């Protein structure tokens, strides 16, 4: 497998701090050190992202807008000619942040809004107000800053279907995706939420096409690693091509870490890419779209 596939899409964790306490996010189990990505680390990460021409998303185990320089980080990735977006909770859609997004438009935005049933939403996001969250999302939509998608969550005790979720947002012209709640690497404490089943594939399509870079520059298997056990290396300390080659081997042969045993993240079952990773940005984006539709 061409190792360049392994950095096709990259989540960059600017910080793993978050003020929310969402039920589907096992923050209480986070054992990795907490912090903010430094200027030195970010500059090196950006060099690697340019080398691989990655699609970049500021995401991870925290709220990226809590990083004091998040807007400049977004601007610099876009100035480098790379797609750059964010995964945000509605609480991050403050008037101040909306203004920043308008000044530095991302290429894509994913808004975590797990359920359109107010009672279940309150259970999943106890620190958020349902109506206020909707109001903020609609403000973002009306500002027409960037292509956006609302991401829903199908839990074991939810009656919400993907169609119902889609129909809720469709009148506002908002695209949607709905995923089955998985165990976040076995770390989710409220097991009653889990709807996903373990993925039987020995290889890992997620590891093959997607990279996760923690705030300290560590390359981890995915954001569900709360301890750092899957550390492949550090982008500030190791040759990124060597890391990509090692990552490609793990993806094809099967990840060797305890975290990955019994994984119920559906993206693990993505098919491994075939052939050389294309240089053309449109072909790379099309490959990612086609692959992520495979479930």
């Amino acid at each position: 497998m061409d190792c360049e596939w392994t950095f096709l899409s990259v989540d960059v964790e600017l910080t793993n701090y978050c003020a929310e306490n969402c039920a589907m996010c096992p923050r209480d189990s986070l054992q990795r050190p907490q912090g903010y990505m430094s200027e030195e680390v970010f500059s090196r990460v950006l060099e690697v992202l340019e080398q691989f021409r990655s699609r970049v998303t500021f995401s991870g185990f925290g709220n990226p807008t809590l990083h004091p320089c998040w807007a400049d980080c977004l601007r610099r990735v876009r100035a480098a000619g790379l797609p750059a977006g964010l995964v945000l909770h509605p609480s991050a859609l403050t008037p101040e942040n909306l203004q920043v997004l308008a000044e530095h438009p991302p290429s894509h935005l994913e808004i975590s809004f797990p359920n359109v049933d107010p009672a279940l939403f309150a259970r999943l996001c106890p620190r958020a107000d349902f109506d206020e969250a909707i109001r903020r999302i609609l403000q973002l939509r009306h500002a027409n800053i960037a292509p956006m998608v609302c991401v829903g969550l199908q839990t074991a005790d939810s009656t919400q279907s993907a169609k119902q979720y889609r129909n809720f947002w469709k009148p506002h012209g908002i695209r949607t995706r709905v995923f089955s709640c998985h165990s976040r690497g076995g770390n989710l404490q409220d097991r009653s939420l889990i709807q996903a089943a373990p993925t039987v594939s020995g290889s890992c399509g997620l590891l093959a096409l997607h990279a996760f870079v923690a705030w300290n520059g560590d390359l981890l298997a995915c954001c569900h690693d709360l301890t750092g056990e899957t550390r492949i290396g550090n982008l500030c300390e190791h040759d990124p091509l060597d890391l990509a080659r090692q990552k490609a081997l793990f993806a094809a042969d099967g990840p060797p870490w305890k975290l990955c045993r019994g994984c119920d993240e559906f993206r693990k079952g993505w098919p491994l890419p075939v052939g050389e990773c294309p240089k053309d940005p449109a072909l790379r984006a099309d490959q990612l779209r086609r692959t992520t539709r495979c479930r």
Side-chain angles (χ1 to χ4, degrees):
M1 188 183 90
D2 183 358
C3 68
E4 290 206 13
W5 283 114
T6 65
F7 278 81
L8 182 66
S9 170
V10 180
D11 276 359
V12 176
E13 183 184 68
L14 292 179
T15 180
N16 54 3
Y17 283 110
C18 184
E20 301 302 315
N21 187 32
C22 298
M24 62 284 190
C25 181
R27 292 195 57 80
D28 290 344
S29 301
L30 184 62
Q31 298 177 39
R32 289 193 284 115
Q34 292 185 276
Y36 300 94
M37 185 171 283
S38 68
E39 162 61 25
E40 178 184 13
V41 171
F42 180 77
S43 294
R44 175 54 182 160
V45 169
L46 182 54
E47 288 179 2
V48 175
L49 299 177
E50 289 184 89
Q51 176 180 344
F52 286 103
R53 300 172 299 281
S54 305
R55 179 186 188 269
V56 182
T57 304
F58 293 130
S59 181
F61 232 77
N63 174 359
T65 66
L66 292 180
H67 191 285
C69 300
W70 72 271
D72 188 57
C73 293
L74 175 63
R75 178 192 62 78
R76 289 171 63 184
V77 177
R78 295 292 281 152
L82 301 177
L86 302 97
V87 175
L88 299 174
H89 187 277
S91 63
L93 301 177
T94 63
E96 296 78 14
N97 286 346
L98 286 178
Q99 180 62 37
V100 172
L101 290 171
E103 294 172 357
H104 306 283
S107 61
H108 54 281
L109 287 168
E110 293 186 13
I111 310 301
S112 299
F113 192 94
N115 205 283
V116 295
D117 176 79
L120 190 51
F121 178 90
R123 177 190 171 194
L124 296 174
C125 303
R127 293 184 181 174
D129 179 84
F130 182 80
D131 293 329
E132 175 64 14
I134 292 176
R135 186 184 70 80
R136 291 188 177 195
I137 292 172
L138 295 183
Q139 282 184 329
L140 174 64
R141 173 67 184 93
H142 294 154
N144 199 28
I145 293 170
M148 61 175 289
V149 58
C150 277
V151 180
L153 193 69
Q154 186 68 49
T155 62
D157 55 359
S158 171
T159 59
Q160 170 186 268
S161 67
K163 182 178 180 180
Q164 289 171 320
Y165 190 83
R166 182 174 63 250
N167 288 342
F168 182 89
W169 295 109
K170 187 175 181 179
H172 305 290
I174 297 176
R175 296 184 300 116
T176 62
R177 289 200 298 271
V178 177
F179 300 122
S180 295
C181 183
H182 60 86
S183 68
R184 303 296 291 269
N187 296 307
L188 190 62
Q189 294 184 4
D190 189 348
R191 311 294 292 184
S192 68
L193 296 176
I194 300 171
Q195 187 189 57
T199 304
V200 297
S201 174
S203 60
C204 182
L206 178 60
L207 197 61
L209 289 167
H210 186 76
F212 174 70
V213 181
W215 65 270
N216 61 355
D218 278 349
L219 178 65
L220 305 178
C222 67
C223 68
H224 311 313
D225 182 357
L226 306 187
T227 67
E229 70 159 298
T230 69
R231 183 179 186 270
I232 301 169
N234 186 286
L235 295 188
C236 298
E237 301 171 1
H238 304 103
D239 185 321
L241 273 176
D242 287 343
L243 297 178
R245 293 186 188 104
Q246 184 63 67
K247 193 167 174 286
L249 288 174
F250 286 151
D253 296 341
W257 306 288
K258 179 181 177 182
L259 177 77
C260 304
R261 297 172 198 150
C263 177
D264 52 0
E265 157 67 270
F266 82 91
R267 291 176 294 181
K268 183 178 186 293
W270 283 351
L272 297 180
V274 178
E276 292 186 2
C277 186
K279 308 299 182 186
D280 182 79
L283 292 177
R284 294 164 68 88
D286 183 63
Q287 171 68 28
L288 191 60
R289 280 193 297 269
R290 287 188 290 110
T291 305
T292 56
R293 284 199 295 266
C294 298
R295 301 198 187 182

